[in-house]
Amino acid sequence: MREKHITLGEFIIDKQEEFKYSSGELSKLINSIRLAAKVVNYEVNKAGLVDILGATSTINIQGEQQQKLDAYANEVFMQALINREIVCGIASEEDDNYITIKGKNNDNNNKYVVLMDPLDGSSNIDVNVSVGTIFSVYRRITPPGTPVQEVDFLQKGSQQVAAGYVVYGTSTMLVYTTGHGVNGFTLNPAIGVFYLSHPNMEYPKDGTIYSINEGNYVHFPQGVKDYLKYCQKEEGDRPYTSRYIGSLVSDFHRNMIKGGIYIYPTSTKAPKGKLRLLYEANPMAFIAEQAKGAATDGYMRTMDIQPTSLHQRVPFFCGSINMVKKVNEFMAKYPNDANY
Ligand code: AHM
Ligand code: MG
């Protein structure tokens, strides 16, 4: 008998009844992301060929120079979501403020807000290294019929209804969860179709890979330094292997498949860490937990952190469950570092 190849489109339809208040909106939302991912994939793949590289003159809210492709990806994902009138608001790494979207009849009746990093790791584009898109979806908490408010975006990660990423790598993959496990789909670029290639993705409980920018070692908190020394010690399955692409989505994706931990801690250079809670740490934390891994700030569960602002940063420790537990034990010896 021939094996059935399930496409992402079929998968979304099949799974629609799993959503609690299903009215098809979340399915449409994931479909919009699927479409935008294909468009961005096409541009990312030809980035080396055309004169799209190089920085634009605009500086984003984080004070970083925006690459042209970031701006392009932002536009594509925004438009895909806006055109379908299925979300009431979007917040993006590339924009200082969230945007409000009216529904079909100008009614503000849409239920979902999306937070996203349209092209993460974009300093890697110029050198032909993988980049990614990260997205996070919540139900609004203000009443439908009124314009969306900042509080709709400042929800704890535990309230997410969906989260996912696209990795534009040797193959392009879309990986997402709606709270019922994690599934990965690989794009066949010849026909522009995502196929279910990685059903029910799970982190190995233990791993031997650690991913951290060790160049910042001297600036790290003592708990992280101690943990790195532990990783490097010759004992049992150690020393572990160090792997760091510098592209969160790619580092995360590899670690989820092979078993490992990703760490971006606080440092004297970045006292609150670098990654953004709402559209980098929380969506990855949701995926990690759904894949039987874990994510913390070194002390508490990432998804229990109460957000206070849209672009807030957090330290991030994410990966195989036993590795995250271990590093948290090291951090617990320095409780003062929890007050970042
Ligand atoms: P970005 O949103 O500006 O692309 O920054 C996020 C990226 C992550 O993908 C990556 O893990 C990290 O920054 C790398 O930072 P560093 O170069 O400091 O190691
Ligand atoms: Mg980013």
Side-chain angles (χ1 to χ4, degrees):
M1 204 175 76
R2 278 190 59 187
E3 208 185 317
K4 184 169 175 341
H5 297 292
I6 300 171
T7 68
L8 175 54
E10 289 165 341
F11 187 88
I12 292 170
I13 295 167
D14 283 357
K15 297 291 167 186
Q16 193 169 310
E17 69 269 18
E18 277 184 358
F19 310 141
K20 250 196 250 163
Y21 319 90
S22 181
S23 60
E25 274 175 74
L26 189 58
S27 300
K28 283 190 199 140
L29 198 162
I30 306 281
N31 261 320
S32 309
I33 288 172
R34 171 181 71 144
L35 176 65
K38 287 191 232 178
V39 176
V40 170
N41 168 68
Y42 179 73
E43 277 316 300
V44 167
N45 273 303
K46 64 177 192 180
L49 290 173
V50 291
D51 184 30
I52 196 163
L53 293 178
T56 56
S57 52
T58 40
I59 304 275
N60 71 10
I61 179 86
Q62 331 290 344
E64 297 152 349
Q65 216 177 27
Q66 235 174 288
Q67 303 278 307
K68 271 188 189 166
L69 217 44
D70 305 26
Y72 176 80
N74 194 36
E75 199 54 38
V76 171
F77 277 94
M78 285 276 183
Q79 283 310 324
L81 292 165
I82 293 169
N83 291 343
R84 274 167 194 72
E85 300 173 319
I86 37 175
V87 295
C88 52
I90 309 174
S92 162
E93 169 166 349
E94 301 301 333
D95 300 313
D96 302 3
N97 295 313
Y98 64 86
I99 61 160
T100 306
I101 300 161
K102 292 202 165 150
K104 283 202 168 43
N105 311 312
N106 238 355
D107 56 8
N108 289 304
N109 269 343
N110 295 334
K111 293 201 276 281
Y112 296 106
V113 296
V114 173
L115 295 109
M116 64 175 178
D117 183 349
L119 209 60
D120 183 64
S122 51
S123 63
N124 281 324
I125 297 167
D126 284 346
V127 289
N128 207 357
V129 173
S130 304
V131 286
T133 296
I134 308 171
F135 64 91
S136 168
V137 183
Y138 293 85
R139 286 173 69 85
R140 64 182 301 174
I141 50 177
T142 54
T146 59
V148 73
Q149 311 266 331
E150 194 176 42
V151 289
D152 294 314
F153 296 92
L154 300 184
Q155 300 187 53
K156 287 184 183 171
S158 54
Q159 299 305 306
Q160 288 172 102
V161 294
Y165 62 79
V166 185
V167 55
Y168 309 95
T170 41
S171 292
T172 289
M173 279 190 70
L174 194 155
V175 175
Y176 79 101
T177 182
T178 53
H180 302 272
V182 178
N183 291 285
F185 301 81
T186 302
L187 181 67
N188 177 345
I191 51 172
V193 176
F194 280 105
Y195 287 100
L196 178 61
S197 53
H198 294 64
N200 299 315
M201 297 179 83
E202 281 183 13
Y203 270 98
K205 278 195 162 42
D206 297 283
T208 55
I209 298 173
Y210 68 99
S211 309
I212 185 167
N213 187 341
E214 249 173 311
N216 294 326
Y217 183 86
V218 295
H219 303 285
F220 288 156
Q222 195 55 45
V224 174
K225 287 180 176 168
D226 293 351
Y227 177 68
L228 292 179
K229 286 292 157 238
Y230 165 87
C231 292
Q232 292 159 1
K233 195 171 174 200
E234 200 122 3
E235 198 176 309
D237 57 354
R238 288 173 285 142
Y240 294 158
T241 301
S242 166
R243 289 280 182 275
Y244 191 68
I245 299 168
S247 188
L248 170 63
V249 169
S250 316
D251 280 311
F252 177 102
H253 186 73
R254 180 203 51 243
N255 291 351
M256 181 163 64
I257 291 172
K258 293 194 162 180
I261 187 165
Y262 172 96
I263 303 176
Y264 209 111
T266 60
S267 70
T268 48
K269 278 175 24 187
K272 291 182 184 301
K274 179 183 185 190
L275 300 183
R276 270 59 61 134
L277 173 62
L278 290 178
Y279 43 79
E280 292 176 329
N282 268 339
M284 297 318 248
F286 189 23
I287 299 164
E289 288 195 8
Q290 284 295 316
K292 303 209 161 89
T296 71
D297 67 353
Y299 297 89
M300 70 181 284
R301 183 182 179 222
T302 301
M303 291 203 288
D304 284 339
I305 298 172
Q306 177 59 55
T308 51
S309 68
L310 270 188
H311 298 284
Q312 152 183 12
R313 297 174 194 267
V314 280
F316 194 48
F317 297 67
C318 176
S320 291
I321 189 143
N322 289 338
M323 295 182 92
V324 175
K325 279 188 183 154
K326 192 66 177 178
V327 71
N328 288 348
E329 284 170 22
F330 280 93
M331 299 305 287
K333 293 182 187 141
Y334 305 94
N336 289 345
D337 289 333
N339 309 317
Y340 51 85

